[in-house]
Amino acid sequence: MKHLIILFSALCITGMSYGQFNLSVSTGTSIGSAGMKTGEEINSSQTENAYGSYGEGVNFQIRGTYFFDSKFGLDLALGYLNGADQTISKVEVPGTNVDAIARARAFGAALSMVYNFNENFYGRLGALVKVGGKTEAVVYKKEVFSDTAATGLGLPSGSYSETNYIEDYHGHFPLGVVAALGYRFKLNEKFSLFVEAEYYGISLKRKDSEFKEFNTDIVLPDGTVAVPSFYSLDNLAPGLFKETTYLDELSHVDAATDGSKKLSQKVPYSSFGLNFGVTYKFGNPSKKK
């Protein structure tokens, strides 16, 4: 134990004597690394799976890196992901049209070890967590009433319902991995530019969801709104619930009687990305002995 304390103290003194801290800001774009099924596209002749990852999109990061010596450092990153639209449901059949997408709006953090291979090339490896945000579903649905239903509502043939809603999904606290290889170009003693290839490996298990907006209009064949807000956020259609809880286990009784409870599922956030940024160096360790 005494030797470990001495070794730890020596490492701390060495790190403090080097004392190099960098601050970096970057932006980049990413694509799905292992596309999983996100939904289906249906028309009159076929059904096709849609694949993707909610990790696709544009990200913005700010990172602080403390180097213990010229090779090893510790990196703390905070980032925001503006996710690309993923197809959940796209239906084009006579009498029904659905266009439903979902996208990530997420905040994350990563703690990584950094290793400088030389003055220009470096690598990072660490743990990644999602600390906030949501997966946002944006849905449009148009359904033409049957003649019988239209007559029952006192509407002419060809009338339809038009529904728009936004539903936010939240997940359990996830833990993933982040890895990157980068190249930095020194501009002067303080500033440098960098480009890096970055991998995120993470999935999110759903915890709950909530309707944020909901509206159904009854529309005549010529496009005139006959009944605005036939259904709304305060008056949802039968079988819909403002809030839904996702569980790992669900009894048959609850499944049959409580529509506000559903089985949970994991959604993919893994991605490959390319980032560009600038780094500012505090201090000048090259002059420290």
Side-chain angles (χ1 to χ4, degrees), residues 9 11 13 15 18 36 62 81 158 173-174 202 211 222 225 248 255:
S9 300
L11 289 173
I13 292 172
Y18 188 79
M36 297 176 63
I62 181 168
L81 171 66
F173 186 81
I202 190 169
F211 285 114
D222 64 1
V225 177
D248 288 330

Side-chain angles (χ1 to χ4, degrees), residues 7-289:
L7 178 59
F8 179 75
S9 300
L11 289 173
C12 290
I13 292 172
T14 301
M16 292 175 64
S17 64
Y18 188 79
Q20 176 61 60
F21 179 75
N22 297 344
L23 184 66
S24 302
V25 291
S26 66
T27 185
T29 184
S30 56
I31 60 174
S33 63
M36 297 176 63
K37 181 180 177 180
T38 59
E40 296 179 343
E41 299 184 16
I42 303 172
N43 56 38
S44 299
S45 60
Q46 67 176 9
T47 298
E48 181 181 355
N49 286 334
Y51 295 92
S53 169
Y54 293 104
E56 298 177 26
V58 177
N59 72 78
F60 305 91
Q61 296 186 48
I62 181 168
R63 298 206 308 265
T65 309
Y66 184 85
F67 282 96
F68 302 103
D69 55 33
S70 61
K71 291 292 186 181
F72 289 97
L74 189 64
D75 181 282
L76 177 63
L78 299 175
Y80 173 75
L81 171 66
N82 190 70
D85 292 352
Q86 304 296 323
T87 297
I88 303 303
S89 179
K90 190 172 183 64
V91 180
E92 295 180 351
V93 297
T96 301
N97 289 88
V98 178
D99 187 5
I101 60 93
R103 57 205 177 195
R105 298 290 186 264
F107 294 91
L111 184 64
S112 308
M113 288 298 299
V114 183
Y115 179 76
N116 290 326
F117 296 102
N118 55 40
E119 192 176 87
N120 300 111
F121 289 95
Y122 66 90
R124 288 189 288 111
L125 179 64
L128 169 70
V129 295
K130 179 175 176 285
V131 296
K134 61 190 179 183
T135 302
E136 178 185 65
V138 181
V139 180
Y140 168 81
K141 186 176 184 180
K142 174 184 176 181
E143 289 186 296
V144 178
F145 294 115
S146 66
D147 288 342
T148 301
T151 300
L153 292 171
L155 300 170
S157 177
S159 298
Y160 56 91
S161 66
E162 194 171 54
T163 299
N164 290 276
Y165 68 82
I166 295 176
E167 187 174 11
D168 289 350
Y169 294 84
H170 305 98
H172 293 278
F173 186 81
L175 181 64
V177 63
V178 58
L181 288 174
Y183 179 87
R184 67 172 66 91
F185 176 77
K186 184 177 178 181
L187 297 176
N188 53 44
E189 290 299 319
K190 292 294 186 180
F191 288 95
S192 60
L193 302 177
F194 67 89
V195 58
E196 62 182 20
E198 187 173 47
Y199 168 74
Y200 286 157
I202 190 169
S203 296
L204 184 66
K205 187 168 72 172
R206 282 182 176 163
K207 180 177 67 174
D208 58 58
S209 65
E210 180 181 4
F211 285 114
K212 290 299 184 180
E213 298 178 18
F214 193 99
N215 186 76
T216 297
D217 292 334
I218 305 300
V219 186
L220 301 180
D222 64 1
T224 302
V225 177
V227 185
S229 300
F230 185 77
Y231 292 120
S232 65
L233 195 60
D234 296 322
N235 177 38
L236 292 172
L240 296 181
F241 298 84
K242 187 174 181 180
E243 297 181 357
T244 300
T245 302
Y246 294 87
L247 306 168
D248 288 330
E249 296 182 2
L250 188 62
S251 70
H252 295 311
V253 173
D254 283 342
T257 61
D258 190 351
S260 68
K261 296 179 181 178
K262 296 181 180 179
L263 284 174
S264 185
Q265 57 180 305
K266 280 193 173 183
V267 293
Y269 270 77
S270 298
S271 66
F272 284 113
L274 190 64
N275 301 328
F276 303 87
V278 60
T279 297
Y280 178 79
K281 180 189 297 183
F282 292 85
N284 190 359
S286 62
K287 294 182 181 180
K288 295 183 180 181
K289 303 298 182 182

